[in-house]
Amino acid sequence: MRGSRRRRGVLKFLAHAAVITTLYLAFSFVLFLGLQVSPRYGNIGLVLVTALVGLYVYFGFVRK
């Protein structure tokens, strides 16, 4: 029983780490778009990244 509980905690931690890393990479790419390509693409990307962060917080922490 304790082994499965510990494994579940490790998997949960790894899942959160993967999502945070992906969101960071998406945000970095959006900054690149906004600064190097076009401010319009950067603004659209920031709205999308903000929505993704909101969904992550809602499904990862609020809704249990």
Side-chain angles (χ1 to χ4, degrees), residues 1-2 5-6 10-11 13 15 17 20 28 30 33-34 36 42 44-47 50 53-56 59-60 62 64:
M1 185 65 137
R2 289 188 76 187
R5 193 178 244 189
R6 180 174 289 159
V10 169
L11 289 175
F13 174 79
I20 290 170
S28 297
V30 164
L33 285 178
Q36 299 293 329
I44 293 169
L46 283 176
V47 169
T50 303
V53 168
L55 286 172
Y56 168 65
F59 285 112
V62 176
K64 287 202 172 199

Side-chain angles (χ1 to χ4, degrees), residues 3-30:
S4 64
R5 193 178 244 189
R6 180 174 289 159
R7 185 177 300 135
R8 185 174 150 202
V10 169
L11 289 175
K12 193 174 184 181
F13 174 79
L14 290 175
H16 282 287
V19 170
I20 290 170
T21 302
T22 304
L23 287 172
Y24 173 75
L25 290 174
F27 181 72
S28 297
F29 182 69
V30 164

